[in-house]
Amino acid sequence: MTAFWTEPDFDEHEMVHFVHDRASGLTAIIAVHSSHLGPGAGGTRFWHYPNPKDGLRDALRLSRGMSYKNAMAGLPMGGGKAVILADKAKTKTPEMLAAFGDAVEALGGRYVTAEDVGMSEADMVALASRTAHVSGLPADGEDAAGGDPGPFTAIGIYHGIKAAVRHKLGKDSVADVHVAVQGTGSVGGGVARLLAKDGAKLTLADIHADRAEALAAELGGKAVDADAIMSVACDVFSPNALGAILDEEGIARLDTPIVAGGANNQLARAHHGQLLFERGILFAPDYVINAGGIISVATEYLARRDGTPGDINEVRKRLAQIPGRLEEIWQESDVSKTSPDVVADRMAQKLIGR
Ligand code: NAD
């Protein structure tokens, strides 16, 4: 493996920690990008990387993303992320989780973990038997913060879509606003349900077509092929599946004035934000609109650290700040004629002292 400081994604990360446990077969990378605002917080990704270097890149890129996301969410947390390099069959054993929990604990709270792709709430419970620096655990009752971050991410995106509709279309409600949702999993499905309650018109797509069809039948929307969703003429395109979908080809296909959704790293390359801007499409920077999950996870962690149950109202309060932050970005973008992704990056960098 090459030295991480020669990696293009290396951005003065404060710590890149390699973990190998021969007995369990665990290999993991824990990266802390910035602890300027607090402990490096971000989930653990459990993934098979045919080339382990891609795991390192993910850890570097995603931990920097968490620094920006946590800062823009107003959380007293820095940015961190871990990847567990799984084998081809994605074998996950209790021994591996125990070894990973020990590695997180050994960092003494410099890194705080939670769910990400391939890691469940049950996995967090397993980690909690080895480390205190884990969140996304089951909530202790209805008024307590905690549990699966997906629904909280969906609520933040729903608020963000309403803000975008207000800013771009001058409408105070999403009733009859046509939203095309890409991906109907935990986040996309939640967004669609919240929008349906307000009377939005929905077009849904998922590579598991049966998922989109079932949700469309439940909510009274229309399901289309996964290949077709980016070309649907709509008021809002909401990407909630994969990253890097906004490249030259993807942007050329869009027939919408707004892109606002939860998928991480939607812009394939930095200049694609400018391309959207030139086309007059309002973009909600992903790490700002999709911060609901980390807001829940961080609120839960901070409360537990102080020996109190996390308050769900504190989570709601922080979620309700997402539209205001987006509006601030869009206003600055309008004034400075700079794309919203660049405006958001500058704001985040300032907050983390870079
Ligand atoms: P999920 O696995 O529950 O759902 C993703 C859905 O997208 C699945 O139903 C999958 O079949 C579908 N999909 C995959 N590729 C597709 C394609 N090309 N076209 C259409 N559908 C496709 O995952 P999730 O938790 O809902 O996360 C969705 C996105 O949001 C991811 O990019 C994730 O990184 C991001 N995100 C999630 C959270 C969270 O709290 N869960 C927080 C922040 C960001």
Side-chain angles (χ1 to χ4, degrees):
M1 205 177 274
T2 50
F4 59 78
W5 52 86
T6 63
E7 285 293 325
D9 291 306
F10 178 66
D11 176 44
E12 294 182 51
H13 286 67
E14 290 175 11
M15 183 192 82
V16 183
H17 186 68
F18 290 85
V19 184
H20 183 66
D21 179 63
R22 180 183 280 260
S24 65
L26 171 80
T27 304
I29 302 166
I30 301 174
V32 172
H33 173 255
S34 165
S35 59
H36 186 76
L37 295 172
T44 295
R45 183 161 291 194
F46 185 90
W47 195 248
H48 171 64
Y49 297 91
N51 182 350
K53 253 175 110 172
D54 292 333
L56 172 64
R57 286 193 186 130
D58 248 5
L60 293 173
R61 207 170 38 86
L62 294 166
S63 58
R64 179 182 50 199
M66 290 311 299
S67 290
Y68 288 19
K69 187 184 293 200
N70 293 340
M72 292 299 276
L75 294 167
M77 307 297 266
K81 199 89 184 181
V83 297
I84 295 179
L85 306 182
D87 64 12
K88 231 177 181 171
K90 298 206 185 125
T91 315
K92 192 195 285 168
T93 63
E95 292 75 20
M96 283 166 89
L97 290 177
F100 182 69
D102 289 346
V104 171
E105 183 62 19
L107 295 175
R110 286 184 74 190
Y111 169 65
V112 178
T113 197
E115 293 92 342
D116 193 65
V117 178
M119 291 290 272
S120 65
E121 197 176 88
D123 294 332
M124 295 308 117
V125 173
L127 294 181
S129 68
R130 313 293 284 217
T131 180
H133 309 297
V134 55
S135 197
L137 297 165
D140 284 342
E142 267 184 21
D143 296 333
D148 175 12
F152 297 102
T153 304
I155 294 171
I157 294 162
Y158 160 74
H159 286 317
I161 289 176
K162 292 213 310 188
V165 164
R166 204 177 305 120
H167 184 91
K168 184 76 180 176
L169 308 178
K171 292 185 180 174
D172 282 329
S173 150
V174 288
D176 296 324
V177 168
H178 183 187
V179 185
V181 181
Q182 180 183 47
T184 54
S186 169
V187 173
V191 170
R193 283 198 170 85
L194 290 165
L195 290 169
K197 273 193 196 151
D198 283 0
K201 184 180 161 201
L202 296 171
T203 300
L204 310 172
D206 198 291
I207 39 163
H208 291 106
D210 52 332
R211 248 178 234 176
E213 280 158 17
L215 193 63
E218 178 195 325
L219 302 177
K222 185 178 163 199
V224 296
D225 271 1
D227 288 346
I229 192 75
M230 284 186 77
S231 324
V232 168
C234 57
D235 299 308
V236 182
F237 170 61
S238 185
N240 296 291
L242 303 175
I245 50 151
L246 299 171
D247 55 10
E248 269 81 4
E249 198 236 312
I251 292 171
R253 285 165 67 192
L254 293 175
D255 189 357
T256 179
I258 296 169
V259 174
N264 279 314
N265 303 316
Q266 292 163 32
L267 300 171
R269 299 243 176 274
H271 70 270
H272 292 120
Q274 177 64 22
L275 212 55
L276 283 173
F277 189 62
E278 284 165 9
R279 278 204 55 194
I281 297 172
L282 184 73
F283 178 58
D286 41 52
Y287 62 82
V288 181
I289 195 172
N290 74 12
I294 192 72
I295 286 173
S296 164
V297 157
T299 307
E300 172 197 339
Y301 175 75
L302 292 167
R304 195 177 315 107
R305 198 183 61 177
D306 297 342
T308 59
D311 182 356
I312 193 79
N313 291 319
E314 183 60 31
V315 176
R316 290 200 186 105
K317 203 175 87 192
R318 286 192 162 125
L319 285 173
Q321 290 166 357
I322 289 177
R325 223 157 267 127
L326 287 168
E327 185 54 39
E328 200 185 326
I329 292 165
W330 293 326
Q331 282 185 16
E332 170 62 24
S333 163
D334 291 343
V335 170
S336 63
K337 309 273 177 267
T338 309
S339 59
D341 54 301
V342 171
V343 171
D345 283 358
R346 285 183 191 154
M347 284 180 178
Q349 282 156 3
K350 202 167 159 199
L351 287 168
I352 64 169
R354 300 252 176 141

